[in-house]
Amino acid sequence: MYHNIKGLRTIALYRVSTDKQDEAMQKKSCRDFCETNGLKIIDEYTEIDVSGFKTPLKDRYELIKILMRAEKKEFDILLIYNNDRLTRRSDEAPHILQVLSNNKIRVFETSTDAEIKTDSHMDKLINFFNSWTAEFESIKTSMRVKSSFADKNEEGKFLGGLPFGYRLINTNYKNKKGKYINKMIIDENEANIVRKIFDLYINKNMGTVRIANYLNENSYLTRKKKEALDHNIDIKENQYLWRASTITRILRNPVYIGQKAYNKTKSTRDKVVKNNREEYKLQPYNEELKIISNEDFYEAGILLERRKKRKNVKVSTATISDNALCSGLIYCRCGAKLKTGYSISKYHRKKDNKDIRLKVYYYYCPNSKVNKVKHKEITNKNIYSVLRYDSIIDKIILYELRTFNDRRYKQVFDEKISSNIHTKQNELNNLIILREKIEKLIIKYEVAIDECFIKGEKDKVDIYINNINRNKAKLTKIDVEIQKLSNHNLDADIKIKTISTKNQDFSSLEDRYSNASLNEKKAILSKIIKKIIISEDEIIIDFMY
């Protein structure tokens, strides 16, 4: 009990950072201290969900109010349950205590009935040590939590974060704390939307903005919007809609191939930082979570990276390019990527006596205006009819897909002939025969050595041993040559099988391309063509195969 503080104006500070800490306990301790020492609490401040370690002083609004009141001399005593309620940051604790001390505010820790003093260097050292200890405890706790989370992630357990396409079910099992453990399973209604998003992106050549618009226009609901409608909650017109950023996250999320990602962020004392995608870790593969095939997921990833490089694309240009087969792939001979535009053609149709306005689309080279000198040095043409050139390129693509089999097999056959594969096979056979002869000769020498010991002709033993060693050295060289020839023929066989598989893919692709819509054709082209270069007298198509 302190006899010299009776009747002084008192403020109490309670900080509750997690549900483990009991606000009522802190209040009871402070009020009991006041009753024992004859103090009157004039104000109480409570900080909810505030970490003494992670939350800096500038974000401790209640504590800042107390410090401001201290400077105005509005109270005499500050009560806290223990010193870590004030802060767990060793660099901030001295400043906070110094502000209070400078304004003659005394600080008491009610859990120990002790006063936190700052009068001497020893007091300051003790205070620093206490705050450093509190900070260190926070760090150790954080490390234990991270370690526990890492172990659970490696076991594939659900730790929060429910991606679109899934729902939670109760497993009826409890953890050590007595809480029920949840399990993530596929929600087929949402999963169908996920599949639709991948199909639109991969097979319909739709970007993330267009996919978001398509889903919104065709009544595909986001999870929040569905929940709001199910509970008759009023929502604004533009609330809970699909966004391009949401579509991108879905296309990049490996959970749809059965592997939930974690380690997406890292926490420092002052902030949470997003990790690069390369730093993400994956839970073990879970077949029950798989919504998308591996092929579709990785193909979407490749397309995302390609399209990411396109910058400064205007919405109007994207709309125009929807009417051009080769937009995004077609280049001028000068090196510039061609843009898509249109002009209005007017004519009078006598049949029904109407004036008709038609949009005539064309590709144009931006260098013809921006860098005229460079453009004219290479080509004089800067505008190309979409109707004409798309028609020509369309026919070339069909021919390439149709004739892929014959041309590629002929190429492999020519490669095999040029490498004298038949000669190599003969060489291989001859080496195998030679090896067998040498092995028999070595066995003959070994038998002769045994006979020498029986007959007592030890002077001949060294000669036979030298012959054995010399022939074993020959065997080593022959084995190396046999391996080389075997690898040569194996490579040729693998190439034939690879080309055969490619041919089957392209045979299927030819049928798909022939019956595809314009957007579907564009999606196919983006998978098989690097770029198309055109000029007034030439079309060069750079295929990926």
mmCIF file with all atom_site columns, all heavy atoms in Angstrom, residues 431-450:
data_model
loop_
_atom_site.group_PDB
_atom_site.id
_atom_site.type_symbol
_atom_site.label_atom_id
_atom_site.label_alt_id
_atom_site.label_comp_id
_atom_site.label_asym_id
_atom_site.label_entity_id
_atom_site.label_seq_id
_atom_site.pdbx_PDB_ins_code
_atom_site.Cartn_x
_atom_site.Cartn_y
_atom_site.Cartn_z
_atom_site.occupancy
_atom_site.B_iso_or_equiv
_atom_site.pdbx_formal_charge
_atom_site.auth_seq_id
_atom_site.auth_comp_id
_atom_site.auth_asym_id
_atom_site.auth_atom_id
_atom_site.pdbx_PDB_model_num
ATOM 1   N N   . LEU A 1 431 ? 30.624 -53.709 -82.916 1.00 0.00 ? 431 LEU A N   1
ATOM 2   C CA  . LEU A 1 431 ? 31.259 -53.532 -81.611 1.00 0.00 ? 431 LEU A CA  1
ATOM 3   C C   . LEU A 1 431 ? 30.782 -54.573 -80.604 1.00 0.00 ? 431 LEU A C   1
ATOM 4   O O   . LEU A 1 431 ? 31.563 -55.062 -79.779 1.00 0.00 ? 431 LEU A O   1
ATOM 5   C CB  . LEU A 1 431 ? 30.978 -52.118 -81.077 1.00 0.00 ? 431 LEU A CB  1
ATOM 6   C CG  . LEU A 1 431 ? 31.782 -50.986 -81.720 1.00 0.00 ? 431 LEU A CG  1
ATOM 7   C CD1 . LEU A 1 431 ? 31.269 -49.632 -81.229 1.00 0.00 ? 431 LEU A CD1 1
ATOM 8   C CD2 . LEU A 1 431 ? 33.269 -51.127 -81.392 1.00 0.00 ? 431 LEU A CD2 1
ATOM 9   N N   . ILE A 1 432 ? 29.510 -54.882 -80.658 1.00 0.00 ? 432 ILE A N   1
ATOM 10  C CA  . ILE A 1 432 ? 28.967 -55.904 -79.743 1.00 0.00 ? 432 ILE A CA  1
ATOM 11  C C   . ILE A 1 432 ? 29.630 -57.259 -80.004 1.00 0.00 ? 432 ILE A C   1
ATOM 12  O O   . ILE A 1 432 ? 29.988 -57.993 -79.069 1.00 0.00 ? 432 ILE A O   1
ATOM 13  C CB  . ILE A 1 432 ? 27.433 -56.000 -79.893 1.00 0.00 ? 432 ILE A CB  1
ATOM 14  C CG1 . ILE A 1 432 ? 26.776 -54.706 -79.359 1.00 0.00 ? 432 ILE A CG1 1
ATOM 15  C CG2 . ILE A 1 432 ? 26.889 -57.218 -79.155 1.00 0.00 ? 432 ILE A CG2 1
ATOM 16  C CD1 . ILE A 1 432 ? 25.296 -54.591 -79.641 1.00 0.00 ? 432 ILE A CD1 1
ATOM 17  N N   . ILE A 1 433 ? 29.811 -57.592 -81.301 1.00 0.00 ? 433 ILE A N   1
ATOM 18  C CA  . ILE A 1 433 ? 30.477 -58.860 -81.666 1.00 0.00 ? 433 ILE A CA  1
ATOM 19  C C   . ILE A 1 433 ? 31.919 -58.861 -81.173 1.00 0.00 ? 433 ILE A C   1
ATOM 20  O O   . ILE A 1 433 ? 32.402 -59.851 -80.602 1.00 0.00 ? 433 ILE A O   1
ATOM 21  C CB  . ILE A 1 433 ? 30.418 -59.078 -83.195 1.00 0.00 ? 433 ILE A CB  1
ATOM 22  C CG1 . ILE A 1 433 ? 28.956 -59.308 -83.623 1.00 0.00 ? 433 ILE A CG1 1
ATOM 23  C CG2 . ILE A 1 433 ? 31.299 -60.252 -83.613 1.00 0.00 ? 433 ILE A CG2 1
ATOM 24  C CD1 . ILE A 1 433 ? 28.746 -59.274 -85.122 1.00 0.00 ? 433 ILE A CD1 1
ATOM 25  N N   . LEU A 1 434 ? 32.624 -57.729 -81.400 1.00 0.00 ? 434 LEU A N   1
ATOM 26  C CA  . LEU A 1 434 ? 34.013 -57.614 -80.968 1.00 0.00 ? 434 LEU A CA  1
ATOM 27  C C   . LEU A 1 434 ? 34.137 -57.753 -79.462 1.00 0.00 ? 434 LEU A C   1
ATOM 28  O O   . LEU A 1 434 ? 35.069 -58.389 -78.942 1.00 0.00 ? 434 LEU A O   1
ATOM 29  C CB  . LEU A 1 434 ? 34.584 -56.275 -81.442 1.00 0.00 ? 434 LEU A CB  1
ATOM 30  C CG  . LEU A 1 434 ? 36.044 -55.978 -81.055 1.00 0.00 ? 434 LEU A CG  1
ATOM 31  C CD1 . LEU A 1 434 ? 36.984 -57.059 -81.628 1.00 0.00 ? 434 LEU A CD1 1
ATOM 32  C CD2 . LEU A 1 434 ? 36.448 -54.591 -81.542 1.00 0.00 ? 434 LEU A CD2 1
ATOM 33  N N   . ARG A 1 435 ? 33.196 -57.172 -78.745 1.00 0.00 ? 435 ARG A N   1
ATOM 34  C CA  . ARG A 1 435 ? 33.218 -57.242 -77.279 1.00 0.00 ? 435 ARG A CA  1
ATOM 35  C C   . ARG A 1 435 ? 33.097 -58.688 -76.805 1.00 0.00 ? 435 ARG A C   1
ATOM 36  O O   . ARG A 1 435 ? 33.782 -59.110 -75.869 1.00 0.00 ? 435 ARG A O   1
ATOM 37  C CB  . ARG A 1 435 ? 32.067 -56.400 -76.712 1.00 0.00 ? 435 ARG A CB  1
ATOM 38  C CG  . ARG A 1 435 ? 32.173 -56.163 -75.223 1.00 0.00 ? 435 ARG A CG  1
ATOM 39  C CD  . ARG A 1 435 ? 30.977 -55.380 -74.694 1.00 0.00 ? 435 ARG A CD  1
ATOM 40  N NE  . ARG A 1 435 ? 31.248 -54.857 -73.377 1.00 0.00 ? 435 ARG A NE  1
ATOM 41  C CZ  . ARG A 1 435 ? 31.308 -55.596 -72.253 1.00 0.00 ? 435 ARG A CZ  1
ATOM 42  N NH1 . ARG A 1 435 ? 31.117 -56.900 -72.324 1.00 0.00 ? 435 ARG A NH1 1
ATOM 43  N NH2 . ARG A 1 435 ? 31.575 -55.036 -71.083 1.00 0.00 ? 435 ARG A NH2 1
ATOM 44  N N   . GLU A 1 436 ? 32.204 -59.417 -77.445 1.00 0.00 ? 436 GLU A N   1
ATOM 45  C CA  . GLU A 1 436 ? 32.027 -60.824 -77.078 1.00 0.00 ? 436 GLU A CA  1
ATOM 46  C C   . GLU A 1 436 ? 33.311 -61.616 -77.289 1.00 0.00 ? 436 GLU A C   1
ATOM 47  O O   . GLU A 1 436 ? 33.685 -62.471 -76.469 1.00 0.00 ? 436 GLU A O   1
ATOM 48  C CB  . GLU A 1 436 ? 30.878 -61.431 -77.886 1.00 0.00 ? 436 GLU A CB  1
ATOM 49  C CG  . GLU A 1 436 ? 29.506 -60.888 -77.494 1.00 0.00 ? 436 GLU A CG  1
ATOM 50  C CD  . GLU A 1 436 ? 28.389 -61.393 -78.393 1.00 0.00 ? 436 GLU A CD  1
ATOM 51  O OE1 . GLU A 1 436 ? 28.718 -62.078 -79.405 1.00 0.00 ? 436 GLU A OE1 1
ATOM 52  O OE2 . GLU A 1 436 ? 27.213 -61.117 -78.107 1.00 0.00 ? 436 GLU A OE2 1
ATOM 53  N N   . LYS A 1 437 ? 34.036 -61.330 -78.404 1.00 0.00 ? 437 LYS A N   1
ATOM 54  C CA  . LYS A 1 437 ? 35.288 -62.025 -78.704 1.00 0.00 ? 437 LYS A CA  1
ATOM 55  C C   . LYS A 1 437 ? 36.346 -61.718 -77.638 1.00 0.00 ? 437 LYS A C   1
ATOM 56  O O   . LYS A 1 437 ? 37.075 -62.611 -77.179 1.00 0.00 ? 437 LYS A O   1
ATOM 57  C CB  . LYS A 1 437 ? 35.808 -61.602 -80.082 1.00 0.00 ? 437 LYS A CB  1
ATOM 58  C CG  . LYS A 1 437 ? 35.005 -62.170 -81.243 1.00 0.00 ? 437 LYS A CG  1
ATOM 59  C CD  . LYS A 1 437 ? 35.604 -61.713 -82.574 1.00 0.00 ? 437 LYS A CD  1
ATOM 60  C CE  . LYS A 1 437 ? 34.814 -62.281 -83.758 1.00 0.00 ? 437 LYS A CE  1
ATOM 61  N NZ  . LYS A 1 437 ? 35.379 -61.837 -85.057 1.00 0.00 ? 437 LYS A NZ  1
ATOM 62  N N   . ILE A 1 438 ? 36.427 -60.440 -77.239 1.00 0.00 ? 438 ILE A N   1
ATOM 63  C CA  . ILE A 1 438 ? 37.423 -60.056 -76.234 1.00 0.00 ? 438 ILE A CA  1
ATOM 64  C C   . ILE A 1 438 ? 37.110 -60.701 -74.890 1.00 0.00 ? 438 ILE A C   1
ATOM 65  O O   . ILE A 1 438 ? 38.018 -61.142 -74.167 1.00 0.00 ? 438 ILE A O   1
ATOM 66  C CB  . ILE A 1 438 ? 37.498 -58.518 -76.111 1.00 0.00 ? 438 ILE A CB  1
ATOM 67  C CG1 . ILE A 1 438 ? 38.070 -57.914 -77.407 1.00 0.00 ? 438 ILE A CG1 1
ATOM 68  C CG2 . ILE A 1 438 ? 38.351 -58.094 -74.923 1.00 0.00 ? 438 ILE A CG2 1
ATOM 69  C CD1 . ILE A 1 438 ? 38.043 -56.410 -77.468 1.00 0.00 ? 438 ILE A CD1 1
ATOM 70  N N   . GLU A 1 439 ? 35.825 -60.753 -74.539 1.00 0.00 ? 439 GLU A N   1
ATOM 71  C CA  . GLU A 1 439 ? 35.446 -61.391 -73.278 1.00 0.00 ? 439 GLU A CA  1
ATOM 72  C C   . GLU A 1 439 ? 35.853 -62.867 -73.265 1.00 0.00 ? 439 GLU A C   1
ATOM 73  O O   . GLU A 1 439 ? 36.351 -63.385 -72.250 1.00 0.00 ? 439 GLU A O   1
ATOM 74  C CB  . GLU A 1 439 ? 33.932 -61.258 -73.049 1.00 0.00 ? 439 GLU A CB  1
ATOM 75  C CG  . GLU A 1 439 ? 33.501 -59.866 -72.586 1.00 0.00 ? 439 GLU A CG  1
ATOM 76  C CD  . GLU A 1 439 ? 32.003 -59.767 -72.366 1.00 0.00 ? 439 GLU A CD  1
ATOM 77  O OE1 . GLU A 1 439 ? 31.267 -60.532 -73.040 1.00 0.00 ? 439 GLU A OE1 1
ATOM 78  O OE2 . GLU A 1 439 ? 31.582 -58.940 -71.537 1.00 0.00 ? 439 GLU A OE2 1
ATOM 79  N N   . LYS A 1 440 ? 35.666 -63.534 -74.412 1.00 0.00 ? 440 LYS A N   1
ATOM 80  C CA  . LYS A 1 440 ? 36.067 -64.946 -74.509 1.00 0.00 ? 440 LYS A CA  1
ATOM 81  C C   . LYS A 1 440 ? 37.584 -65.087 -74.392 1.00 0.00 ? 440 LYS A C   1
ATOM 82  O O   . LYS A 1 440 ? 38.083 -66.025 -73.755 1.00 0.00 ? 440 LYS A O   1
ATOM 83  C CB  . LYS A 1 440 ? 35.587 -65.533 -75.839 1.00 0.00 ? 440 LYS A CB  1
ATOM 84  C CG  . LYS A 1 440 ? 34.075 -65.734 -75.906 1.00 0.00 ? 440 LYS A CG  1
ATOM 85  C CD  . LYS A 1 440 ? 33.660 -66.280 -77.273 1.00 0.00 ? 440 LYS A CD  1
ATOM 86  C CE  . LYS A 1 440 ? 32.143 -66.450 -77.340 1.00 0.00 ? 440 LYS A CE  1
ATOM 87  N NZ  . LYS A 1 440 ? 31.706 -66.946 -78.680 1.00 0.00 ? 440 LYS A NZ  1
ATOM 88  N N   . LEU A 1 441 ? 38.306 -64.134 -74.988 1.00 0.00 ? 441 LEU A N   1
ATOM 89  C CA  . LEU A 1 441 ? 39.765 -64.171 -74.936 1.00 0.00 ? 441 LEU A CA  1
ATOM 90  C C   . LEU A 1 441 ? 40.268 -63.982 -73.504 1.00 0.00 ? 441 LEU A C   1
ATOM 91  O O   . LEU A 1 441 ? 41.223 -64.650 -73.066 1.00 0.00 ? 441 LEU A O   1
ATOM 92  C CB  . LEU A 1 441 ? 40.328 -63.080 -75.848 1.00 0.00 ? 441 LEU A CB  1
ATOM 93  C CG  . LEU A 1 441 ? 41.837 -63.103 -76.120 1.00 0.00 ? 441 LEU A CG  1
ATOM 94  C CD1 . LEU A 1 441 ? 42.252 -64.424 -76.758 1.00 0.00 ? 441 LEU A CD1 1
ATOM 95  C CD2 . LEU A 1 441 ? 42.225 -61.926 -77.024 1.00 0.00 ? 441 LEU A CD2 1
ATOM 96  N N   . ILE A 1 442 ? 39.616 -63.088 -72.763 1.00 0.00 ? 442 ILE A N   1
ATOM 97  C CA  . ILE A 1 442 ? 39.999 -62.862 -71.353 1.00 0.00 ? 442 ILE A CA  1
ATOM 98  C C   . ILE A 1 442 ? 39.779 -64.129 -70.534 1.00 0.00 ? 442 ILE A C   1
ATOM 99  O O   . ILE A 1 442 ? 40.623 -64.513 -69.699 1.00 0.00 ? 442 ILE A O   1
ATOM 100 C CB  . ILE A 1 442 ? 39.192 -61.680 -70.769 1.00 0.00 ? 442 ILE A CB  1
ATOM 101 C CG1 . ILE A 1 442 ? 39.657 -60.357 -71.394 1.00 0.00 ? 442 ILE A CG1 1
ATOM 102 C CG2 . ILE A 1 442 ? 39.345 -61.616 -69.244 1.00 0.00 ? 442 ILE A CG2 1
ATOM 103 C CD1 . ILE A 1 442 ? 38.799 -59.169 -71.048 1.00 0.00 ? 442 ILE A CD1 1
ATOM 104 N N   . ILE A 1 443 ? 38.640 -64.778 -70.790 1.00 0.00 ? 443 ILE A N   1
ATOM 105 C CA  . ILE A 1 443 ? 38.355 -66.037 -70.074 1.00 0.00 ? 443 ILE A CA  1
ATOM 106 C C   . ILE A 1 443 ? 39.439 -67.084 -70.404 1.00 0.00 ? 443 ILE A C   1
ATOM 107 O O   . ILE A 1 443 ? 39.904 -67.823 -69.523 1.00 0.00 ? 443 ILE A O   1
ATOM 108 C CB  . ILE A 1 443 ? 36.956 -66.573 -70.463 1.00 0.00 ? 443 ILE A CB  1
ATOM 109 C CG1 . ILE A 1 443 ? 35.873 -65.621 -69.930 1.00 0.00 ? 443 ILE A CG1 1
ATOM 110 C CG2 . ILE A 1 443 ? 36.748 -67.985 -69.927 1.00 0.00 ? 443 ILE A CG2 1
ATOM 111 C CD1 . ILE A 1 443 ? 34.482 -65.920 -70.433 1.00 0.00 ? 443 ILE A CD1 1
ATOM 112 N N   . LYS A 1 444 ? 39.863 -67.118 -71.678 1.00 0.00 ? 444 LYS A N   1
ATOM 113 C CA  . LYS A 1 444 ? 40.905 -68.054 -72.115 1.00 0.00 ? 444 LYS A CA  1
ATOM 114 C C   . LYS A 1 444 ? 42.207 -67.798 -71.365 1.00 0.00 ? 444 LYS A C   1
ATOM 115 O O   . LYS A 1 444 ? 42.891 -68.740 -70.919 1.00 0.00 ? 444 LYS A O   1
ATOM 116 C CB  . LYS A 1 444 ? 41.108 -67.908 -73.620 1.00 0.00 ? 444 LYS A CB  1
ATOM 117 C CG  . LYS A 1 444 ? 42.103 -68.893 -74.207 1.00 0.00 ? 444 LYS A CG  1
ATOM 118 C CD  . LYS A 1 444 ? 42.202 -68.687 -75.718 1.00 0.00 ? 444 LYS A CD  1
ATOM 119 C CE  . LYS A 1 444 ? 43.258 -69.626 -76.321 1.00 0.00 ? 444 LYS A CE  1
ATOM 120 N NZ  . LYS A 1 444 ? 43.388 -69.433 -77.793 1.00 0.00 ? 444 LYS A NZ  1
ATOM 121 N N   . TYR A 1 445 ? 42.585 -66.511 -71.220 1.00 0.00 ? 445 TYR A N   1
ATOM 122 C CA  . TYR A 1 445 ? 43.813 -66.169 -70.494 1.00 0.00 ? 445 TYR A CA  1
ATOM 123 C C   . TYR A 1 445 ? 43.716 -66.550 -69.017 1.00 0.00 ? 445 TYR A C   1
ATOM 124 O O   . TYR A 1 445 ? 44.703 -66.987 -68.393 1.00 0.00 ? 445 TYR A O   1
ATOM 125 C CB  . TYR A 1 445 ? 44.118 -64.672 -70.631 1.00 0.00 ? 445 TYR A CB  1
ATOM 126 C CG  . TYR A 1 445 ? 44.603 -64.265 -72.007 1.00 0.00 ? 445 TYR A CG  1
ATOM 127 C CD1 . TYR A 1 445 ? 44.149 -63.089 -72.602 1.00 0.00 ? 445 TYR A CD1 1
ATOM 128 C CD2 . TYR A 1 445 ? 45.538 -65.032 -72.699 1.00 0.00 ? 445 TYR A CD2 1
ATOM 129 C CE1 . TYR A 1 445 ? 44.599 -62.703 -73.864 1.00 0.00 ? 445 TYR A CE1 1
ATOM 130 C CE2 . TYR A 1 445 ? 45.988 -64.662 -73.971 1.00 0.00 ? 445 TYR A CE2 1
ATOM 131 C CZ  . TYR A 1 445 ? 45.514 -63.490 -74.537 1.00 0.00 ? 445 TYR A CZ  1
ATOM 132 O OH  . TYR A 1 445 ? 45.964 -63.119 -75.780 1.00 0.00 ? 445 TYR A OH  1
ATOM 133 N N   . GLU A 1 446 ? 42.543 -66.355 -68.427 1.00 0.00 ? 446 GLU A N   1
ATOM 134 C CA  . GLU A 1 446 ? 42.356 -66.701 -67.016 1.00 0.00 ? 446 GLU A CA  1
ATOM 135 C C   . GLU A 1 446 ? 42.512 -68.205 -66.791 1.00 0.00 ? 446 GLU A C   1
ATOM 136 O O   . GLU A 1 446 ? 43.091 -68.643 -65.786 1.00 0.00 ? 446 GLU A O   1
ATOM 137 C CB  . GLU A 1 446 ? 40.972 -66.225 -66.546 1.00 0.00 ? 446 GLU A CB  1
ATOM 138 C CG  . GLU A 1 446 ? 40.880 -64.702 -66.419 1.00 0.00 ? 446 GLU A CG  1
ATOM 139 C CD  . GLU A 1 446 ? 39.473 -64.232 -66.133 1.00 0.00 ? 446 GLU A CD  1
ATOM 140 O OE1 . GLU A 1 446 ? 38.529 -65.040 -66.327 1.00 0.00 ? 446 GLU A OE1 1
ATOM 141 O OE2 . GLU A 1 446 ? 39.293 -63.063 -65.721 1.00 0.00 ? 446 GLU A OE2 1
ATOM 142 N N   . VAL A 1 447 ? 41.988 -69.014 -67.742 1.00 0.00 ? 447 VAL A N   1
ATOM 143 C CA  . VAL A 1 447 ? 42.146 -70.479 -67.659 1.00 0.00 ? 447 VAL A CA  1
ATOM 144 C C   . VAL A 1 447 ? 43.625 -70.851 -67.787 1.00 0.00 ? 447 VAL A C   1
ATOM 145 O O   . VAL A 1 447 ? 44.147 -71.735 -67.076 1.00 0.00 ? 447 VAL A O   1
ATOM 146 C CB  . VAL A 1 447 ? 41.311 -71.175 -68.752 1.00 0.00 ? 447 VAL A CB  1
ATOM 147 C CG1 . VAL A 1 447 ? 41.644 -72.682 -68.794 1.00 0.00 ? 447 VAL A CG1 1
ATOM 148 C CG2 . VAL A 1 447 ? 39.829 -70.962 -68.498 1.00 0.00 ? 447 VAL A CG2 1
ATOM 149 N N   . ALA A 1 448 ? 44.316 -70.148 -68.711 1.00 0.00 ? 448 ALA A N   1
ATOM 150 C CA  . ALA A 1 448 ? 45.747 -70.431 -68.927 1.00 0.00 ? 448 ALA A CA  1
ATOM 151 C C   . ALA A 1 448 ? 46.560 -70.143 -67.681 1.00 0.00 ? 448 ALA A C   1
ATOM 152 O O   . ALA A 1 448 ? 47.530 -70.868 -67.363 1.00 0.00 ? 448 ALA A O   1
ATOM 153 C CB  . ALA A 1 448 ? 46.257 -69.598 -70.103 1.00 0.00 ? 448 ALA A CB  1
ATOM 154 N N   . ILE A 1 449 ? 46.192 -69.086 -66.929 1.00 0.00 ? 449 ILE A N   1
ATOM 155 C CA  . ILE A 1 449 ? 46.908 -68.754 -65.683 1.00 0.00 ? 449 ILE A CA  1
ATOM 156 C C   . ILE A 1 449 ? 46.761 -69.898 -64.674 1.00 0.00 ? 449 ILE A C   1
ATOM 157 O O   . ILE A 1 449 ? 47.723 -70.302 -64.014 1.00 0.00 ? 449 ILE A O   1
ATOM 158 C CB  . ILE A 1 449 ? 46.377 -67.430 -65.099 1.00 0.00 ? 449 ILE A CB  1
ATOM 159 C CG1 . ILE A 1 449 ? 46.822 -66.253 -65.971 1.00 0.00 ? 449 ILE A CG1 1
ATOM 160 C CG2 . ILE A 1 449 ? 46.881 -67.230 -63.666 1.00 0.00 ? 449 ILE A CG2 1
ATOM 161 C CD1 . ILE A 1 449 ? 46.208 -64.941 -65.585 1.00 0.00 ? 449 ILE A CD1 1
ATOM 162 N N   . ASP A 1 450 ? 45.559 -70.462 -64.571 1.00 0.00 ? 450 ASP A N   1
ATOM 163 C CA  . ASP A 1 450 ? 45.343 -71.582 -63.649 1.00 0.00 ? 450 ASP A CA  1
ATOM 164 C C   . ASP A 1 450 ? 46.212 -72.784 -64.040 1.00 0.00 ? 450 ASP A C   1
ATOM 165 O O   . ASP A 1 450 ? 46.784 -73.478 -63.171 1.00 0.00 ? 450 ASP A O   1
ATOM 166 C CB  . ASP A 1 450 ? 43.866 -71.986 -63.664 1.00 0.00 ? 450 ASP A CB  1
ATOM 167 C CG  . ASP A 1 450 ? 42.982 -70.916 -63.026 1.00 0.00 ? 450 ASP A CG  1
ATOM 168 O OD1 . ASP A 1 450 ? 43.508 -70.101 -62.233 1.00 0.00 ? 450 ASP A OD1 1
ATOM 169 O OD2 . ASP A 1 450 ? 41.768 -70.881 -63.327 1.00 0.00 ? 450 ASP A OD2 1
#
